[in-house]
Amino acid sequence: MQNMQKYKVNGVKFFFEDLKMMKREDELIGCKTASKLNASAKAVFIDLHFEVNDLGCTSEDFKIKDAAKKSGLKSSTYYQGFNYLREHGYIEEVVVGYKSVYRIRNYALYNQSQEEQVTNSKIPFSYFRIPYILRGSTVLPDLVASSDSRGITLLLEWLNGLTRELSKRFEKVDEYALSRLFNKLKERLNRSAKRVRQFLETIKPVLNIEMNGVKERKPKADRVARVRKSITQVVCKSISVSFNESCVQINDDYNKVRENEAKMRKETLNKLYTLNVALKKRDKRDIETVYKQEVVKVAKTIVSDKSRYYFMVQTTQVALEEIEEYIKKTSKKINNIGALYRTKLRAAVEDWLSRRDIEYINDDQAVGSIDTNFFNEILTG
């Protein structure tokens, strides 16, 4: 069994395919006929990942002014970036339960493991996490103010690289570090050493930057005679980049439970989406709380990973089938989805526990897999 990594990033998913898209857009900068993502559009695109669920959809009560306030960006900047993303198809407006919500393009597609994919696209399930502390910090507002589109992409690249570093085994957070030559940074960002140092200073609320091989370079004697004021330059050979400690948290013993919980939460939201049940932020919080209280609490008492997984899959799918049947029979609007979800989950859990010794004690017993048709409906809808 592979050892768990000691730390993990405390943040939201950002998919590697979207990072690749941003890098391609950076290559188009300077081409007058090409569409490109400017700094404000990139910043808003990143910030929307703090607003969406596992299917890439905002809640029905999403408001741009509220999101702008949380992000630290000016409202005018957020509106500008948001409108650009809509006009160019990076986000789209969809209707769920007669309510309009916004959806990040391809988020649901990228947020599938190989087993969950229902198409032949075979898109790799690859993502990293954007730390929660980025939102509301000065990092994105300052990068937008300086129109630093390339800098935003480079920040994401470093977050991706540092996330991969966490798979190694070190004791301290700052030991998980990336090393970059300073001259290469000047080429990558296409700017002077002074502006590179300004960029590094800007991102310090999220990433720790350590200068290596720093020395002073004094002007040559003949140059001193030609200019009125001699300037001593500070030269840096390379830098080390590491996470701010606030970006990460220590993994706990229930990592597997949390992974399964996230998968079942995605399953639940997906099913409710196909049933045209519009969810407010409060409803999503209620669903998460109910699942923790009714299922996760029991799952943590099951020793076997396989039995625990079977338990979480079976009870979730039974509860969702019961909710679907209830909606089709009554045709009534659900005023309290949290209460209904609790009722159906509790019944499914009690049924599972009553038959556990007979049907679920054997880990080798086969059970049904997650219904991937749910994803087919939303991706083609």
Side-chain angles (χ1 to χ4, degrees):
M1 182 177 179
Q2 186 178 2
N3 291 329
M4 284 184 197
Q5 61 188 44
K6 182 173 182 179
Y7 298 101
K8 65 178 180 180
V9 180
N10 188 23
V12 295
K13 288 180 182 178
F14 193 92
F15 296 100
F16 185 65
E17 292 296 316
D18 283 327
L19 174 57
K20 286 166 57 178
M21 174 271 295
M22 285 192 176
K23 293 173 70 174
R24 288 195 299 268
E25 293 290 342
D26 283 351
E27 295 173 359
L28 298 177
I29 293 178
C31 180
K32 295 181 180 180
T33 60
S35 170
K36 62 180 184 295
L37 281 172
N38 58 24
S40 61
K42 283 185 180 180
V44 173
F45 185 75
I46 292 170
D47 188 74
L48 284 173
H49 286 70
F50 293 94
E51 291 284 341
V52 300
N53 58 26
D54 291 305
L55 305 177
C57 296
T58 63
S59 61
E60 65 173 68
D61 52 354
F62 169 79
K63 290 183 176 61
I64 292 179
K65 65 177 182 179
D66 294 337
K69 185 176 181 180
K70 295 175 185 176
S71 71
L73 296 168
K74 296 180 180 179
S75 294
S76 57
T77 300
Y78 210 101
Y79 274 103
Q80 179 186 0
F82 190 87
N83 288 333
Y84 182 95
L85 294 172
R86 284 190 62 189
E87 291 170 3
H88 293 80
Y90 294 99
I91 58 176
E92 55 191 353
E93 188 173 3
V94 295
V95 178
V96 180
Y98 306 104
K99 297 287 186 178
S100 293
V101 298
Y102 295 101
R103 180 171 64 187
I104 296 177
R105 181 185 66 183
N106 291 332
Y107 190 103
L109 177 64
Y110 297 156
N111 197 23
Q112 297 182 72
S113 64
Q114 294 293 329
E115 294 78 14
E116 293 173 324
Q117 288 187 20
V118 294
T119 66
N120 294 322
S121 58
K122 298 300 178 183
I123 296 173
F125 183 46
S126 179
Y127 65 89
F128 55 99
R129 290 190 179 274
I130 301 175
Y132 287 120
I133 65 168
L134 178 66
R135 195 180 205 198
S137 72
T138 58
V139 176
L140 288 180
D142 286 351
L143 291 175
V144 171
S146 58
S147 300
D148 196 352
S149 179
R150 289 182 184 272
I152 292 176
T153 304
L154 183 57
L155 172 62
L156 292 177
E157 286 186 44
W158 285 353
L159 291 176
N160 176 50
L162 287 171
T163 300
R164 310 300 172 193
E165 285 291 305
L166 292 180
S167 62
K168 299 177 181 178
R169 297 289 293 179
F170 294 116
E171 288 301 316
K172 298 180 180 179
V173 175
D174 57 9
E175 292 182 278
Y176 301 88
L178 302 175
S179 180
R180 295 292 183 268
L181 293 175
F182 197 83
N183 284 336
K184 291 294 183 181
L185 285 180
K186 290 166 61 178
E187 295 177 9
R188 173 71 173 79
L189 294 171
N190 190 28
R191 64 191 62 170
S192 66
K194 180 180 179 181
R195 291 195 62 203
V196 171
R197 287 195 293 270
Q198 289 174 344
F199 164 73
L200 296 176
E201 192 67 29
T202 298
I203 65 175
K204 279 187 175 180
V206 176
L207 300 179
N208 295 325
I209 308 295
E210 182 180 350
M211 300 286 191
N212 304 316
V214 178
K215 62 181 180 179
E216 292 185 349
R217 177 187 295 168
K218 295 184 178 181
K220 296 179 180 179
D222 60 337
R223 180 172 177 80
V224 173
R226 286 187 283 112
V227 296
R228 287 186 296 177
K229 184 179 179 181
S230 62
I231 300 175
T232 300
Q233 292 181 319
V234 177
V235 181
C236 173
K237 183 178 180 181
S238 66
I239 65 167
S240 295
V241 185
S242 61
F243 275 124
N244 183 312
E245 288 193 2
S246 301
C247 294
V248 300
Q249 63 186 36
I250 297 178
N251 260 334
D252 57 34
D253 294 334
Y254 301 122
N255 188 58
K256 286 292 183 183
V257 175
R258 290 185 176 182
E259 289 179 4
N260 294 339
E261 179 187 355
K263 185 177 289 188
M264 295 305 103
R265 184 181 66 240
K266 183 167 62 176
E267 176 91 349
T268 299
L269 292 175
N270 201 8
K271 184 63 176 179
L272 294 176
Y273 184 98
T274 61
L275 294 173
N276 275 327
V277 178
L279 301 175
K280 296 180 180 180
K281 287 184 179 179
R282 181 193 62 206
D283 297 323
K284 295 172 187 175
R285 288 195 298 267
D286 288 348
I287 288 173
E288 184 174 352
T289 300
V290 167
Y291 198 82
K292 287 181 181 296
Q293 293 174 345
E294 301 297 333
V295 177
V296 174
K297 186 176 180 180
V298 177
K300 288 181 177 180
T301 66
I302 301 175
V303 177
S304 166
D305 288 346
K306 192 177 291 186
S307 290
R308 184 192 306 125
Y309 178 72
Y310 290 169
F311 164 71
M312 299 178 80
V313 170
Q314 288 280 321
T315 53
T316 302
Q317 289 191 337
V318 169
L320 293 177
E321 289 169 1
E322 290 293 321
I323 291 175
E324 181 178 16
E325 185 177 355
Y326 173 84
I327 292 175
K328 289 180 178 179
K329 279 186 177 181
T330 63
S331 300
K332 294 180 180 178
K333 179 182 177 181
I334 301 177
N335 294 320
N336 191 337
I337 184 63
L340 179 62
Y341 191 49
R342 183 185 296 277
T343 300
K344 301 304 181 182
L345 266 182
R346 183 170 294 177
V349 169
E350 289 176 353
D351 179 67
W352 191 91
L353 292 175
S354 68
R355 298 184 294 120
R356 178 168 63 98
D357 292 338
I358 300 175
E359 298 185 17
Y360 296 92
I361 195 66
N362 183 0
D363 283 348
D364 295 327
Q365 182 173 348
V367 296
S369 60
I370 297 177
D371 187 359
T372 54
N373 288 330
F374 292 162
F375 276 97
N376 192 30
E377 291 181 36
I378 186 172
L379 294 177
T380 59

